[in-house]
Amino acid sequence: MISRRGFLSATAVAGVSTAAGATLGAVGASYASDVASQTATADRSELFRGPHQAGVETETQAVTNFISFNLRAGTAKADVRRWMSLITDDIERLSRGKPVLADPSPELAVGAARLTATVGFGVEFFNKLGLRSRMPEGFIELPGFKMDRLEERFSGGDVLIHVSADDPIVLANASRALIRDSMPFATVRWMQNGFVHSPGMVPGGNTHRNLMGQVDGTENPKLETVDFDNLVWIDSGPEWIQGGTLLVLRRIAMQLDTWDQLGTPEKEEVIGRKLSNGAPLTGVNENDTPDLNARYPNGLKVIPDFAHIRRAAPSKTGERIFRRPFSYHEGVAADGRPDVGLLWTAYQRNIETQYLPIQRRLEQLDLLNEWTVPIGSATFAIPRGVREGELLAEGLLL
């Protein structure tokens, strides 16, 4: 039997027709293009060290795992420092597409694929380690809201590691490595998996179309702007949080079986936006606040008072957040109802003054609550970035 390489050599000597030669050349060019594309995805990396942790002011990756941990009984601050030492090294290696130390499956480190792993701490973390005086201003556990149907398996936690990448194998391998090195210090409370569009499906950024058909994230501050800095990155308080941020994570189940019974005009009224492109419905409303009219100069007459966009709009300057959500799909029930929803995130400097007023308005009157149910909730303080020679959260754990 002649090998593929031998076949190509033999046919070349025999004089392959011009058409056949062109076909073989096209196949080769296509293969080379595929390899180049794969290599480009594998080689794309996000910086680990810098003023901020990666994974916040970062174009949203395709797949994600939010992993929440509870500290083991007896875990002290010195133990957490050792834990942070381990995962600092892990994340730095993984973000470069390299295996972690003593990796039992180094062959799975196939590339960086824009991997990030962002670490945060819950309110109970500070209570358990006697660090409550080091908590940032405006960092709270959320109160209960009347639309909530929260489940413990999706809520709370002492420590969060949020891992994202553009490749599911890279994500799974990194998550396993970080969980494995966390086990001496903590137990896994929950892990929640999400996704957005694959690279190239939509323009880069932090908007995506969720499973209700809505374009999510349209009112976000633009990345790498003064507006983003002023809303998201903390610049006062304890040194360890300066350059960090506060995260609200909500797992929101969607009732698609009844949502799909609505027509497009009804869906658009509930949300307040066109489903086709995410643009707000337009018009004029004399009762709108000056801030709302400034943001939507064409007006909002056709947006009802119960619409989500109206309820979520800020009532005063600075009452805004940065959203970076992911969809989830956990299968279907026997009757065909899908278990789907949103892993909804809000990043801000102060939860009490930025997120909480918005959520209070949504609690009072938001027709979207008829088709969405919060079933998980947690808040985490995200430390500043890691400088050269430092560990994650080093300033907090000294």
Side-chain angles (χ1 to χ4, degrees):
M1 180 180 293
I2 301 175
S3 68
R4 180 171 297 177
R5 180 174 296 178
F7 171 78
L8 292 174
S9 299
T11 52
V13 171
V16 180
S17 69
T18 301
T23 299
L24 289 170
V27 170
S30 176
Y31 177 78
S33 175
D34 289 345
V35 171
S37 176
Q38 292 165 2
T39 301
T41 299
D43 288 348
R44 291 187 66 191
S45 61
E46 301 289 341
L47 290 177
F48 169 63
R49 295 188 183 271
H52 316 296
Q53 287 194 65
V56 179
E57 196 173 5
T58 303
E59 289 191 1
T60 308
Q61 300 101 315
V63 287
T64 197
N65 288 332
F66 290 89
I67 312 167
S68 174
F69 298 87
N70 283 341
L71 295 176
R72 290 188 182 275
T75 299
K77 187 168 66 172
D79 301 314
V80 176
R81 183 180 172 87
R82 287 194 293 273
W83 180 13
M84 293 300 109
S85 177
L86 282 172
I87 64 171
T88 296
D89 186 71
D90 286 350
I91 297 170
E92 188 157 27
R93 291 172 184 272
L94 292 165
S95 65
R96 295 174 179 171
K98 305 298 182 185
V100 299
L101 288 176
D103 195 331
S105 302
E107 63 277 3
L108 289 176
V110 295
R114 292 206 309 124
L115 179 132
T116 59
T118 314
V119 176
F121 305 111
V123 171
E124 277 304 301
F125 173 89
F126 295 89
N127 291 335
K128 290 178 179 180
L129 296 183
L131 295 171
R132 193 167 181 82
S133 65
R134 308 291 305 282
M135 286 172 55
E137 182 182 3
F139 179 49
I140 58 171
E141 291 183 328
L142 296 180
F145 302 103
K146 65 182 181 182
M147 75 283 278
D148 288 353
R149 300 292 183 270
L150 303 183
E151 301 179 28
E152 282 292 317
R153 61 185 175 135
F154 301 130
S155 301
D158 297 335
V159 179
L160 176 76
I161 305 180
H162 176 206
V163 193
S164 300
D166 278 336
D167 179 81
I169 299 298
V170 169
L171 176 70
N173 180 57
S175 298
R176 283 177 60 198
L178 292 165
I179 290 171
R180 186 172 56 244
D181 282 347
S182 299
M183 287 300 90
F185 312 97
T187 58
V188 175
R189 182 182 177 96
W190 47 255
M191 184 166 79
Q192 302 186 51
N193 320 114
F195 58 89
V196 295
H197 298 287
S198 296
M201 288 294 293
V202 295
N206 288 96
T207 60
H208 83 291
R209 194 174 290 277
N210 66 39
L211 297 179
M212 296 183 91
Q214 178 186 3
V215 178
D216 215 324
T218 51
E219 286 301 313
N220 269 333
K222 294 187 183 303
L223 304 181
E224 299 180 359
T225 63
V226 173
D227 186 34
F228 187 99
D229 292 347
N230 290 340
L231 290 173
V232 177
W233 299 125
I234 297 170
D235 61 1
S236 61
E239 190 273 342
W240 69 270
I241 197 68
Q242 294 183 32
T245 187
L246 305 181
L247 166 64
V248 171
L249 170 62
R250 303 271 283 175
R251 184 182 181 95
I252 302 174
M254 295 174 173
Q255 313 302 317
L256 293 191
D257 52 333
T258 54
W259 176 255
D260 288 343
Q261 295 173 17
L262 300 179
T264 296
E266 290 80 12
K267 290 178 179 178
E268 290 178 342
E269 282 199 342
V270 170
I271 296 169
R273 293 186 179 278
K274 301 290 288 184
L275 288 176
S276 59
N277 58 10
L281 304 177
T282 57
V284 176
N285 190 326
E286 62 184 11
N287 296 320
D288 286 334
T289 66
D291 187 74
L292 194 60
N293 281 323
R295 294 174 70 214
Y296 302 111
N298 292 325
L300 294 169
K301 183 178 70 173
V302 294
I303 300 181
D305 286 340
F306 57 68
H308 182 74
I309 185 177
R310 184 182 294 282
R311 306 306 301 173
S315 61
K316 58 185 178 181
T317 302
E319 198 179 85
R320 294 165 57 211
I321 52 179
F322 173 63
R323 292 163 291 155
R324 196 172 183 269
F326 294 84
S327 295
Y328 72 83
H329 193 310
E330 301 292 344
V332 295
D335 62 2
R337 287 181 294 114
D339 181 1
V340 300
L342 208 60
L343 301 179
W344 187 90
T345 63
Y347 295 89
Q348 64 258 286
R349 288 184 172 190
N350 188 309
I351 294 173
E352 287 186 301
T353 61
Q354 289 175 257
Y355 170 79
L356 202 54
I358 298 171
Q359 186 58 40
R360 290 295 192 198
R361 287 195 299 275
L362 295 175
E363 177 185 34
Q364 292 164 3
L365 179 64
D366 178 10
L367 193 57
L368 190 58
N369 292 336
E370 295 293 320
W371 293 276
T372 58
V373 182
I375 59 175
S377 187
T379 61
F380 298 96
I382 310 296
R384 65 165 173 80
V386 186
R387 300 165 185 158
E388 288 297 329
E390 282 188 340
L391 311 176
L392 279 159
E394 183 168 309
L396 177 62
L397 300 170
L398 290 175

